[in-house]
Amino acid sequence: MRRFGSKQLIPIAMALMGVVFAVVGFTQLGFWDKEPKAGFFPSIIAVVMVISSVAAFFQTLKEEDQPKYNKDELMVIAGGAAVIAGSFIVGMIPMIFLFVLFWLTVIEKGTPILHIVIIEAIVAVIVLGVFAGWLQVQFPWGLLENFM
């Protein structure tokens, strides 16, 4: 008999999280009304997340070996957790910029300053222009929300 462990727990947790985001996106934020609403992008990502999580869950049922997590995978997970935690303090948008800056300077050692500036500018255009401006994604502002 197969043991139930992190291989199965993680896809189930991600599927549940996807369902929550899909419900919020479709019901509270709106999906489409002559143009994309604020819930358009989160709803699409949430549906893809649920589908891929269900597929990952069934794939884990076929595997017999124990999961092995290496350092690089855990660093990515820790980085995601840091962005989420930091979003409650300084907000999502500033935290994204800080995370990219930290990753390029500390993890990817030796990245030239010009490359960091270019990458941060691209991130700014994508986050502010596409997500905040065009798709109207409502990013959390954490404690900064009280000052704005």
Side-chain angles (χ1 to χ4, degrees), residues 16-30 42-43 46-47:
L16 291 174
M17 189 184 310
V19 168
V20 169
F21 279 111
V23 169
V24 169
F26 285 118
T27 60
Q28 294 179 8
L29 301 175
S43 299
V47 169

PDB file of all heavy atoms in Angstrom, residues 16-30 42-43 46-47:
ATOM      1  N   LEU A  16      -6.730  23.041  -4.111  1.00  0.00           N
ATOM      2  CA  LEU A  16      -7.666  23.776  -3.253  1.00  0.00           C
ATOM      3  C   LEU A  16      -7.424  25.284  -3.340  1.00  0.00           C
ATOM      4  O   LEU A  16      -8.375  26.072  -3.403  1.00  0.00           O
ATOM      5  CB  LEU A  16      -7.549  23.295  -1.812  1.00  0.00           C
ATOM      6  CG  LEU A  16      -8.055  21.880  -1.541  1.00  0.00           C
ATOM      7  CD1 LEU A  16      -7.753  21.459  -0.109  1.00  0.00           C
ATOM      8  CD2 LEU A  16      -9.545  21.776  -1.837  1.00  0.00           C
ATOM      9  N   MET A  17      -6.164  25.681  -3.362  1.00  0.00           N
ATOM     10  CA  MET A  17      -5.836  27.094  -3.496  1.00  0.00           C
ATOM     11  C   MET A  17      -6.330  27.620  -4.849  1.00  0.00           C
ATOM     12  O   MET A  17      -6.873  28.726  -4.932  1.00  0.00           O
ATOM     13  CB  MET A  17      -4.326  27.316  -3.374  1.00  0.00           C
ATOM     14  CG  MET A  17      -3.929  28.766  -3.296  1.00  0.00           C
ATOM     15  SD  MET A  17      -2.145  29.072  -3.270  1.00  0.00           S
ATOM     16  CE  MET A  17      -1.585  27.980  -2.018  1.00  0.00           C
ATOM     17  N   GLY A  18      -6.179  26.834  -5.883  1.00  0.00           N
ATOM     18  CA  GLY A  18      -6.664  27.230  -7.204  1.00  0.00           C
ATOM     19  C   GLY A  18      -8.174  27.390  -7.237  1.00  0.00           C
ATOM     20  O   GLY A  18      -8.694  28.317  -7.860  1.00  0.00           O
ATOM     21  N   VAL A  19      -8.889  26.497  -6.558  1.00  0.00           N
ATOM     22  CA  VAL A  19     -10.348  26.601  -6.499  1.00  0.00           C
ATOM     23  C   VAL A  19     -10.756  27.895  -5.790  1.00  0.00           C
ATOM     24  O   VAL A  19     -11.661  28.611  -6.246  1.00  0.00           O
ATOM     25  CB  VAL A  19     -10.957  25.363  -5.795  1.00  0.00           C
ATOM     26  CG1 VAL A  19     -12.416  25.586  -5.460  1.00  0.00           C
ATOM     27  CG2 VAL A  19     -10.803  24.119  -6.664  1.00  0.00           C
ATOM     28  N   VAL A  20     -10.088  28.209  -4.690  1.00  0.00           N
ATOM     29  CA  VAL A  20     -10.398  29.447  -3.959  1.00  0.00           C
ATOM     30  C   VAL A  20     -10.165  30.662  -4.848  1.00  0.00           C
ATOM     31  O   VAL A  20     -11.021  31.560  -4.946  1.00  0.00           O
ATOM     32  CB  VAL A  20      -9.557  29.543  -2.659  1.00  0.00           C
ATOM     33  CG1 VAL A  20      -9.660  30.932  -2.048  1.00  0.00           C
ATOM     34  CG2 VAL A  20      -9.979  28.480  -1.673  1.00  0.00           C
ATOM     35  N   PHE A  21      -9.023  30.710  -5.531  1.00  0.00           N
ATOM     36  CA  PHE A  21      -8.736  31.857  -6.390  1.00  0.00           C
ATOM     37  C   PHE A  21      -9.701  31.928  -7.570  1.00  0.00           C
ATOM     38  O   PHE A  21     -10.077  33.020  -7.986  1.00  0.00           O
ATOM     39  CB  PHE A  21      -7.288  31.817  -6.894  1.00  0.00           C
ATOM     40  CG  PHE A  21      -6.298  32.323  -5.885  1.00  0.00           C
ATOM     41  CD1 PHE A  21      -5.409  31.458  -5.275  1.00  0.00           C
ATOM     42  CD2 PHE A  21      -6.252  33.654  -5.547  1.00  0.00           C
ATOM     43  CE1 PHE A  21      -4.502  31.911  -4.335  1.00  0.00           C
ATOM     44  CE2 PHE A  21      -5.347  34.126  -4.610  1.00  0.00           C
ATOM     45  CZ  PHE A  21      -4.465  33.257  -4.006  1.00  0.00           C
ATOM     46  N   ALA A  22     -10.105  30.787  -8.111  1.00  0.00           N
ATOM     47  CA  ALA A  22     -11.066  30.792  -9.216  1.00  0.00           C
ATOM     48  C   ALA A  22     -12.413  31.336  -8.751  1.00  0.00           C
ATOM     49  O   ALA A  22     -13.035  32.160  -9.442  1.00  0.00           O
ATOM     50  CB  ALA A  22     -11.222  29.380  -9.783  1.00  0.00           C
ATOM     51  N   VAL A  23     -12.872  30.896  -7.594  1.00  0.00           N
ATOM     52  CA  VAL A  23     -14.151  31.378  -7.072  1.00  0.00           C
ATOM     53  C   VAL A  23     -14.091  32.881  -6.817  1.00  0.00           C
ATOM     54  O   VAL A  23     -14.997  33.624  -7.215  1.00  0.00           O
ATOM     55  CB  VAL A  23     -14.544  30.603  -5.790  1.00  0.00           C
ATOM     56  CG1 VAL A  23     -15.713  31.268  -5.084  1.00  0.00           C
ATOM     57  CG2 VAL A  23     -14.872  29.158  -6.121  1.00  0.00           C
ATOM     58  N   VAL A  24     -13.027  33.338  -6.181  1.00  0.00           N
ATOM     59  CA  VAL A  24     -12.885  34.783  -5.926  1.00  0.00           C
ATOM     60  C   VAL A  24     -12.801  35.551  -7.241  1.00  0.00           C
ATOM     61  O   VAL A  24     -13.435  36.593  -7.409  1.00  0.00           O
ATOM     62  CB  VAL A  24     -11.645  35.063  -5.040  1.00  0.00           C
ATOM     63  CG1 VAL A  24     -11.334  36.548  -4.979  1.00  0.00           C
ATOM     64  CG2 VAL A  24     -11.855  34.505  -3.650  1.00  0.00           C
ATOM     65  N   GLY A  25     -12.034  35.036  -8.187  1.00  0.00           N
ATOM     66  CA  GLY A  25     -11.875  35.717  -9.470  1.00  0.00           C
ATOM     67  C   GLY A  25     -13.169  35.820 -10.245  1.00  0.00           C
ATOM     68  O   GLY A  25     -13.497  36.894 -10.777  1.00  0.00           O
ATOM     69  N   PHE A  26     -13.924  34.736 -10.312  1.00  0.00           N
ATOM     70  CA  PHE A  26     -15.167  34.743 -11.080  1.00  0.00           C
ATOM     71  C   PHE A  26     -16.293  35.491 -10.368  1.00  0.00           C
ATOM     72  O   PHE A  26     -17.076  36.187 -11.010  1.00  0.00           O
ATOM     73  CB  PHE A  26     -15.628  33.313 -11.394  1.00  0.00           C
ATOM     74  CG  PHE A  26     -14.827  32.646 -12.481  1.00  0.00           C
ATOM     75  CD1 PHE A  26     -14.109  31.506 -12.221  1.00  0.00           C
ATOM     76  CD2 PHE A  26     -14.799  33.166 -13.767  1.00  0.00           C
ATOM     77  CE1 PHE A  26     -13.368  30.877 -13.211  1.00  0.00           C
ATOM     78  CE2 PHE A  26     -14.067  32.550 -14.777  1.00  0.00           C
ATOM     79  CZ  PHE A  26     -13.349  31.406 -14.493  1.00  0.00           C
ATOM     80  N   THR A  27     -16.399  35.351  -9.046  1.00  0.00           N
ATOM     81  CA  THR A  27     -17.552  35.915  -8.342  1.00  0.00           C
ATOM     82  C   THR A  27     -17.326  37.336  -7.832  1.00  0.00           C
ATOM     83  O   THR A  27     -18.191  38.182  -7.983  1.00  0.00           O
ATOM     84  CB  THR A  27     -17.953  35.018  -7.151  1.00  0.00           C
ATOM     85  OG1 THR A  27     -16.867  34.911  -6.230  1.00  0.00           O
ATOM     86  CG2 THR A  27     -18.370  33.639  -7.627  1.00  0.00           C
ATOM     87  N   GLN A  28     -16.190  37.608  -7.218  1.00  0.00           N
ATOM     88  CA  GLN A  28     -15.985  38.913  -6.592  1.00  0.00           C
ATOM     89  C   GLN A  28     -15.314  39.930  -7.512  1.00  0.00           C
ATOM     90  O   GLN A  28     -15.633  41.113  -7.474  1.00  0.00           O
ATOM     91  CB  GLN A  28     -15.157  38.763  -5.314  1.00  0.00           C
ATOM     92  CG  GLN A  28     -15.881  37.994  -4.242  1.00  0.00           C
ATOM     93  CD  GLN A  28     -15.028  37.842  -2.986  1.00  0.00           C
ATOM     94  OE1 GLN A  28     -13.957  38.427  -2.867  1.00  0.00           O
ATOM     95  NE2 GLN A  28     -15.498  37.039  -2.056  1.00  0.00           N
ATOM     96  N   LEU A  29     -14.360  39.486  -8.308  1.00  0.00           N
ATOM     97  CA  LEU A  29     -13.599  40.422  -9.129  1.00  0.00           C
ATOM     98  C   LEU A  29     -14.170  40.598 -10.526  1.00  0.00           C
ATOM     99  O   LEU A  29     -13.884  41.588 -11.193  1.00  0.00           O
ATOM    100  CB  LEU A  29     -12.133  39.977  -9.219  1.00  0.00           C
ATOM    101  CG  LEU A  29     -11.390  39.864  -7.893  1.00  0.00           C
ATOM    102  CD1 LEU A  29      -9.996  39.302  -8.116  1.00  0.00           C
ATOM    103  CD2 LEU A  29     -11.324  41.206  -7.205  1.00  0.00           C
ATOM    104  N   GLY A  30     -14.942  39.638 -11.002  1.00  0.00           N
ATOM    105  CA  GLY A  30     -15.492  39.710 -12.350  1.00  0.00           C
ATOM    106  C   GLY A  30     -14.512  39.148 -13.364  1.00  0.00           C
ATOM    107  O   GLY A  30     -13.294  39.247 -13.190  1.00  0.00           O
ATOM    108  N   PRO A  42      -6.361  36.277 -12.808  1.00  0.00           N
ATOM    109  CA  PRO A  42      -6.332  35.316 -11.692  1.00  0.00           C
ATOM    110  C   PRO A  42      -7.217  34.098 -11.928  1.00  0.00           C
ATOM    111  O   PRO A  42      -6.865  32.986 -11.536  1.00  0.00           O
ATOM    112  CB  PRO A  42      -6.839  36.136 -10.495  1.00  0.00           C
ATOM    113  CG  PRO A  42      -6.568  37.543 -10.845  1.00  0.00           C
ATOM    114  CD  PRO A  42      -6.692  37.628 -12.335  1.00  0.00           C
ATOM    115  N   SER A  43      -8.354  34.283 -12.583  1.00  0.00           N
ATOM    116  CA  SER A  43      -9.253  33.158 -12.833  1.00  0.00           C
ATOM    117  C   SER A  43      -8.643  32.159 -13.807  1.00  0.00           C
ATOM    118  O   SER A  43      -8.733  30.946 -13.597  1.00  0.00           O
ATOM    119  CB  SER A  43     -10.589  33.663 -13.382  1.00  0.00           C
ATOM    120  OG  SER A  43     -11.214  34.510 -12.467  1.00  0.00           O
ATOM    121  N   ALA A  46      -5.890  30.330 -12.057  1.00  0.00           N
ATOM    122  CA  ALA A  46      -6.452  29.420 -11.059  1.00  0.00           C
ATOM    123  C   ALA A  46      -6.986  28.143 -11.716  1.00  0.00           C
ATOM    124  O   ALA A  46      -6.771  27.040 -11.195  1.00  0.00           O
ATOM    125  CB  ALA A  46      -7.561  30.119 -10.273  1.00  0.00           C
ATOM    126  N   VAL A  47      -7.660  28.270 -12.851  1.00  0.00           N
ATOM    127  CA  VAL A  47      -8.180  27.086 -13.545  1.00  0.00           C
ATOM    128  C   VAL A  47      -7.029  26.215 -14.034  1.00  0.00           C
ATOM    129  O   VAL A  47      -7.056  24.983 -13.883  1.00  0.00           O
ATOM    130  CB  VAL A  47      -9.111  27.509 -14.707  1.00  0.00           C
ATOM    131  CG1 VAL A  47      -9.450  26.335 -15.601  1.00  0.00           C
ATOM    132  CG2 VAL A  47     -10.386  28.143 -14.147  1.00  0.00           C
TER     133      VAL A  47
END
